[in-house]
């Protein structure tokens, strides 16, 4: 009888241990399954970080553009200041109002300071060079002699960044003097857009022209005058 009780107690003890073990396993298993893995840094920026980077890049680019623009303006101002420094006035070689000659391919840097006072707005209006008023262009001008060959086309370019100078090219065959105020001019091309201009001429036979750089600024100013030529109808 005692032996049988001992066996029963031993079996009960074993069953109790098994139940405790199973109970422990059943309680812990769901926790293991439901546990979430810890967040890991993948190195991918979020929207806020991207926006901050883009803003930084945009600011740096804007600063670089502003610096480049300021530098370009400073260079332009320096060039303009140097370009507008008073130049040594050239003499008037003649005949009459003519300072010098100009030919195809030439580029002249000059000044109207010290030039002649032969032409004015009255001449440009009545010769149909360009529209202006009769009492304009009362300052000094520079006049250059130009000879056009047969079937030749010439294009004159005037650059005057320092003042409002204009360009006129009139046909005048008399090499001994300049045209008087009462003389009719049959051909004149010009432009008074301010700061320079362009004039084109053509003739089917040799002809002589006066190329005039003039303006309303009585103080005179610097300019650059160039001429390019082509043959025939090119």
């Amino acid at each position: 009888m005692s032996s049988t009780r001992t066996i029963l107690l031993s079996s009960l003890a074993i069953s109790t241990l098994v139940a405790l073990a199973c109970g422990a396993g059943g309680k812990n298993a769901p926790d293991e399954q439901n546990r979430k893995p810890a967040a890991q840094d993948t190195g991918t920026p979020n929207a806020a970080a991207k926006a901050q980077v883009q803003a930084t890049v945009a600011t740096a680019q804007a600063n670089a553009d502003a610096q480049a623009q300021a530098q370009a303006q400073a260079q332009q101002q320096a060039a303009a200041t140097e370009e507008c420094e008073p130049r040594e006035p050239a003499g008037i070689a003649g005949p009459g109002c003519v300072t010098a000659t100009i030919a195809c391919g030439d580029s002249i840097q000059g000044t109207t300071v010290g030039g002649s006072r032969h032409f004015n707005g009255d001449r440009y209006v009545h010769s149909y060079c360009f529209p202006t008023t009769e009492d304009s262009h009362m300052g000094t001008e520079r006049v250059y002699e130009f000879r056009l060959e047969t079937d030749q086309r010439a294009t004159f370019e005037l650059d005057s960044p320092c003042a409002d100078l204009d360009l006129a090219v009139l046909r005048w065959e008399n090499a001994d003097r300049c045209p008087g105020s009462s003389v009719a001019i049959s051909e004149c091309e010009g432009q008074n857009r301010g700061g320079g201009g362009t004039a084109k001429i053509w003739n089917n036979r040799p002809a002589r022209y006066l190329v005039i750089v003039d303006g309303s600024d009585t103080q005179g100013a610097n300019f650059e005058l160039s001429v390019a030529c082509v043959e025939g109808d090119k």
Side-chain angles (χ1 to χ4, degrees):
M1 184 69 177
S2 177
S3 175
T4 301
R5 184 180 293 176
T6 301
I7 294 173
L8 290 173
L9 289 173
S10 299
S11 298
L12 181 60
I14 294 171
S15 299
T16 301
L17 293 173
V18 171
L20 290 173
C22 290
K27 182 178 180 181
N28 294 334
D31 291 340
E32 293 295 333
Q33 294 176 359
N34 297 330
R35 183 180 298 170
K36 296 181 179 179
Q40 296 181 354
D41 185 5
T42 61
T44 303
N46 56 27
K50 287 182 178 179
Q52 185 177 5
V53 171
Q54 291 174 351
T56 302
V57 172
T59 300
Q61 184 63 50
N63 291 338
D65 292 343
Q67 291 178 355
Q69 184 177 6
Q71 184 176 7
Q73 290 177 346
Q75 291 175 346
Q76 291 176 354
Q77 291 175 355
T81 300
E82 182 178 356
E83 194 171 12
C84 296
E85 286 291 329
R87 292 172 180 164
E88 185 69 25
I92 300 175
C97 61
V98 176
T99 292
T101 60
I102 188 171
C104 295
D106 285 351
S107 181
I108 296 175
Q109 291 185 336
T111 176
T112 57
V113 176
S116 63
R117 292 183 179 270
H118 193 83
F119 297 98
N120 54 35
D122 180 71
R123 164 57 68 189
Y124 305 133
V125 169
H126 291 92
S127 299
Y128 303 100
C129 300
F130 49 71
T132 186
T133 59
E134 294 183 358
D135 59 349
S136 67
H137 299 78
M138 303 303 291
T140 56
E141 72 270 345
R142 286 293 172 181
V143 183
Y144 299 92
E145 179 189 53
F146 176 78
R147 293 187 177 274
L148 189 72
E149 301 299 330
T150 302
D151 287 332
Q152 193 175 55
R153 297 177 184 271
T155 300
F156 298 88
E157 294 281 352
L158 173 66
D159 182 24
S160 59
C162 308
D164 183 5
L165 299 181
D166 303 317
L167 175 66
V169 183
L170 60 85
R171 182 178 173 185
W172 181 247
E173 297 292 353
N174 193 329
D176 296 327
R177 61 183 178 88
C178 292
S181 58
S182 61
V183 176
I185 301 296
S186 60
E187 180 185 350
C188 184
E189 299 293 336
Q191 200 168 55
N192 68 336
R193 68 183 185 186
T198 302
K200 297 181 179 182
I201 58 173
W202 172 83
N203 209 309
N204 58 3
R205 60 187 180 86
R208 180 178 181 269
Y209 291 83
L210 298 180
V211 185
I212 309 165
V213 178
D214 201 351
S216 298
D217 185 358
T218 58
Q219 300 299 319
N222 297 345
F223 64 86
E224 182 173 359
L225 175 66
S226 60
V227 55
C229 302
V230 295
E231 301 299 328
D233 58 354
K234 295 181 181 179

